[in-house]
Amino acid sequence: MSEQRDTKVPDTTPEQRSAEHALIEARRSKAEAIRARGENPFANDAKPTLPNSSTYDLSVLRAFAASGMENGKYITEKVDELAAGKAFHVHGRVIAIRDNGALTFIRLRDRTGELQLLLSESKMGAEYTRLDDLDVGDFLEAEGSLTASKRGELSVEPLRIRVITKTLRPPPEKWHGLTDVEQRYRQRYVDLVANPAVAEAFRARSLIVRAVRKILDDQGFLEVETPTLHTLIGGAAARPFNTHHNTLDMDLFLRIAPELYLKRLVVGGLERVYEIGRCYRNEGISTRHNPEFTMIEFYWAYATYDTLMDFTETMLRAIDGELARALPETHATWAKERPFALSEPFVRLPMSDAVAHGAKKTEIGAWQTAIGADGGMGLVAMLRADFVDSMKEWSKSSARSKKIDWSNFRKGMGKCDNDGERLFACYEYLVEPFLAEDFRTRDGSRSVPVFVKDYPFETSPLARRNDVRPDLVDRFELFVHGRELCNAFSELNDPDDQAARFREQVNKKSRGAEDTMDFDEDYVCALEHGMPPAAGFGMGIDRLCMMLTNQPSIRDVILFPLMRQRSGGAE
């Protein structure tokens, strides 16, 4: 019996490769020894063989023996009494081996948890020699009695063991805590074994998606599926991936959003619909962006964006509550570490007011005068001309003004074609980076989520104009600790207005803009058939999972994120 370990890293030396090869060959030899005994080292028949024996998940065994605990430790006599007359069959991956000669301790892990195997040569007899076949990482079945060790740890004391999958490649050197980030993402199968907290985050992701479905199903929404191959670019302002259908000889796009198809269904009388599905955007990769990601979009007839703000608060708290019930200990840790709070009312902040707030924080004298006249739009009017000559002076006005990215702010303003786009640029550079700093809980200890609402219509080609302020649309985005989580608005159902917005998108494309939509004639036709007043909502599932599980990168909540190819094309 041995405990073979080595590290597999992207760039290994010849010596490391040679050492790893030797370890692999040693494991292959053990697999051949198992075959020589007439057994399969890659078996498919793990099952109980002893009288009165049953197979147990490891967590079920703990629950079975719970009454045998005192002061957090299992009492041998009580566990023996509970388990009298029964045999227990378990299986899982070996994650640790400690050999004390005639006594060996094995740590076993299955999908539900971990348990100790307490192997005694005196009790197992000739079966004890099977430990010679065993390495860390192998899958093992064991069958015997249930007891507790002298230290009060619940244990299975086997009468028999068998390797049911021989692992040929040794686990990483840092088996308990693989830290090489690139290796973790490339070899997620190793990461999940070496870092149990990683698996917990993905269990949480599954629970979060389930909770989203339940909330919408309970509200009478119908889950649907819409095409992921599109003939036009639509539903969001983003650069698509291109593909081609050979038989039809058609150029196609991988969808950037399901929006326009879902709204066609509202036209058709499916008044509450949602879809959870993959979307694709041919854009940069960052801690918050992956080229393929999961979206939830829903559309709700006769609702408004105000309805959705109320619903979003309720929904996020309900999802978090489901997570707390399913993973109480893990959730408690995540909740304690969160820099934000969901318990207090979310802030609702019109964009023009947000820009006025941001301008006030800079303490730039000329800006205070400008916003006093017309709020955020007053600042836009002042900054419409190039302000390069004032930047040096303004950047020294306060601690806040020193944090502004003045160079990119000026460049962003220079690309704007109208005051609506200029207001949005002011928001992006003067407000959004400081949301978590400026909007805090009553005790100041954490940030509170912020609905930024009432966007300029020029930046929102699918949203409905406000009845009182037609230069604005009934739209909001939710930011949690400064990170955008979702986007929603009252839907534009005037076909002529929508056609004009599409034409403006096409005009921008002709002037060189990349993140623009095409003119969707069929969608305009659908609106001409009549869409009831409605509100729509889109949220990235990946970002929601990041938020609730305190993960620093979107790659930590996507099982297999896209990675740059290694030299030679190997993944």
Side-chain angles (χ1 to χ4, degrees):
M1 179 193 70
S2 62
E3 187 172 346
Q4 314 269 359
R5 295 182 181 176
D6 191 50
T7 303
K8 175 66 175 175
V9 295
D11 298 308
T12 54
T13 65
E15 292 78 9
Q16 288 172 320
R17 288 193 294 271
S18 176
E20 183 178 59
H21 178 74
L23 291 171
I24 292 172
E25 288 306 306
R27 286 173 175 247
R28 288 187 183 278
S29 296
K30 292 183 181 183
E32 290 306 314
I34 293 172
R35 284 194 179 97
R37 289 202 305 268
E39 298 177 11
N40 188 350
F42 303 97
N44 193 32
D45 60 346
K47 59 186 179 183
T49 61
L50 298 178
N52 299 320
S53 181
S54 298
T55 301
Y56 288 83
D57 288 339
L58 302 185
S59 65
V60 174
L61 266 187
R62 292 191 178 281
F64 171 82
S67 61
M69 292 185 75
E70 285 184 10
N71 301 319
K73 292 185 177 182
Y74 291 92
I75 307 304
T76 303
E77 293 77 11
K78 289 187 175 184
V79 173
D80 290 348
E81 184 178 350
L82 284 169
K86 296 183 176 67
F88 300 83
H89 176 258
V90 294
H91 39 61
R93 187 189 287 270
V94 175
I95 61 169
I97 302 172
R98 184 159 53 91
D99 180 9
N100 288 340
L103 194 63
T104 298
F105 299 89
I106 293 176
R107 198 78 188 162
L108 202 67
R109 180 189 293 164
D110 72 1
R111 64 183 177 84
T112 68
E114 297 179 6
L115 193 77
Q116 177 173 271
L117 303 183
L118 180 57
L119 295 95
S120 166
E121 184 175 14
S122 61
K123 191 163 186 175
M124 294 183 68
E127 279 282 311
Y128 195 72
T129 60
R130 285 178 175 266
L131 287 170
D132 294 337
D133 302 332
L134 192 64
D135 291 294
V136 171
D138 290 351
F139 285 86
L140 182 73
E141 71 169 344
E143 190 173 19
S145 58
L146 190 66
T147 187
S149 69
K150 293 179 179 179
R151 295 184 177 181
E153 182 167 358
L154 188 66
S155 306
V156 169
E157 194 170 14
L159 293 175
R160 75 173 188 93
I161 60 169
R162 182 174 64 131
V163 173
I164 51 178
T165 296
K166 186 66 193 170
T167 304
L168 299 182
R169 189 172 293 274
E173 183 179 5
K174 296 185 183 298
W175 181 244
H176 302 285
L178 179 65
T179 57
D180 184 292
V181 173
E182 182 169 330
Q183 185 185 0
R184 287 183 51 229
Y185 296 150
R186 289 186 186 277
Q187 296 184 318
R188 184 68 85 184
Y189 42 88
V190 176
D191 186 29
L192 290 167
V193 177
N195 297 316
V198 171
E200 202 73 351
F202 287 106
R203 289 190 185 93
R205 181 184 174 112
S206 179
L207 292 164
I208 288 166
V209 173
R210 190 186 310 169
V212 171
R213 280 196 167 95
K214 182 178 186 302
I215 290 164
L216 291 174
D217 290 345
D218 289 349
Q219 285 288 326
F221 283 81
L222 180 69
E223 184 173 10
V224 298
E225 294 177 308
T226 63
T228 58
L229 292 174
H230 291 186
T231 57
L232 298 170
I233 302 169
R239 189 186 305 180
F241 285 97
N242 305 311
T243 188
H244 184 81
H245 190 285
N246 292 331
T247 302
L248 297 177
D249 193 22
M250 289 174 61
D251 290 330
L252 298 166
F253 306 104
L254 299 185
R255 74 172 173 196
I256 56 177
E259 177 169 345
L260 299 184
Y261 281 100
L262 290 171
K263 287 192 284 194
R264 284 173 169 89
L265 298 179
V266 177
V267 170
L270 303 182
E271 295 178 349
R272 298 185 184 188
V273 293
Y274 76 92
E275 182 171 9
I276 299 175
R278 285 299 229 201
C279 295
Y280 307 86
R281 297 184 184 179
N282 197 353
E283 298 172 339
I285 295 176
S286 74
T287 57
R288 287 182 282 173
H289 298 86
N290 195 65
E292 57 175 325
F293 58 98
T294 303
M295 284 274 285
I296 165 68
E297 287 202 13
F298 67 78
Y299 293 84
W300 188 344
Y302 310 109
T304 68
Y305 82 135
D306 288 310
T307 310
L308 294 193
M309 276 188 274
D310 294 337
F311 183 73
T312 300
E313 285 200 50
T314 301
M315 177 174 66
L316 291 180
R317 294 188 185 110
I319 294 168
D320 195 43
E322 288 294 319
L323 196 58
R325 281 185 283 276
L327 301 172
E329 293 182 9
T330 307
H331 177 273
T333 300
W334 286 332
K336 183 178 180 181
E337 295 173 350
R338 286 175 186 164
F340 61 88
L342 297 176
S343 55
E344 296 187 11
F346 296 4
V347 173
R348 303 189 182 194
L349 184 66
M351 183 170 286
S352 183
D353 292 352
V355 170
H357 165 86
K360 186 177 181 180
K361 283 282 189 177
T362 66
E363 301 177 21
I364 298 171
W367 288 20
Q368 313 308 307
T369 303
I371 62 175
D374 193 18
M377 294 307 297
L379 182 66
V380 167
M382 177 188 175
L383 298 179
R384 194 178 293 129
D386 191 2
F387 50 84
V388 64
D389 293 337
S390 301
M391 282 171 48
K392 186 174 182 179
E393 176 189 348
W394 289 349
S395 66
K396 299 176 181 178
S397 296
S398 65
R400 171 62 61 84
S401 64
K402 292 176 182 177
K403 298 177 183 178
I404 294 170
D405 184 352
W406 287 99
S407 178
N408 282 323
F409 177 33
R410 177 174 169 258
K411 289 177 184 177
M413 289 289 281
K415 294 177 182 178
C416 295
D417 294 327
N418 50 65
D419 282 352
E421 292 177 357
R422 293 184 186 99
L423 180 70
F424 185 77
C426 287
Y427 161 74
E428 278 194 307
Y429 289 96
L430 306 180
V431 183
E432 187 175 318
F434 309 107
L435 287 171
E437 180 181 332
D438 289 352
F439 299 96
R440 311 291 294 177
T441 54
R442 284 185 289 269
D443 65 5
S445 62
R446 303 186 186 199
S447 66
V448 293
V450 180
F451 289 114
V452 178
K453 66 191 192 89
D454 302 339
Y455 280 56
F457 89 92
E458 296 94 337
T459 65
S460 309
L462 297 170
R464 185 182 187 279
R465 291 179 189 257
N466 183 273
D467 289 334
V468 178
R469 291 280 306 274
D471 57 321
L472 303 177
V473 292
D474 293 342
R475 173 189 174 191
F476 71 79
E477 289 184 302
L478 177 62
F479 291 81
V480 180
H481 202 64
R483 292 185 171 186
E484 179 195 341
L485 180 65
C486 59
N487 180 34
F489 41 80
S490 297
E491 296 297 339
L492 174 58
N493 60 352
D494 179 338
D496 294 335
D497 191 356
Q498 183 63 81
R501 308 263 196 107
F502 279 151
R503 281 193 290 272
E504 177 56 28
Q505 289 285 297
V506 173
N507 288 337
K508 284 188 173 184
K509 193 187 297 287
S510 69
R511 297 195 298 269
E514 293 182 332
D515 296 344
T516 56
M517 302 182 202
D518 292 330
F519 192 107
D520 192 332
E521 186 175 347
D522 182 74
Y523 179 66
V524 173
C525 179
L527 293 184
E528 290 173 343
H529 282 82
M531 183 173 80
F537 174 98
M539 176 170 62
I541 291 292
D542 314 291
R543 291 188 181 183
L544 175 63
C545 295
M546 284 176 63
M547 179 190 89
L548 294 180
T549 63
N550 275 356
Q551 300 303 316
S553 170
I554 195 169
R555 293 182 174 191
D556 294 317
V557 295
I558 295 176
L559 280 167
F560 299 102
L562 185 65
M563 302 288 290
R564 188 185 301 276
Q565 284 188 324
R566 292 176 180 161
S567 59
E571 274 299 314

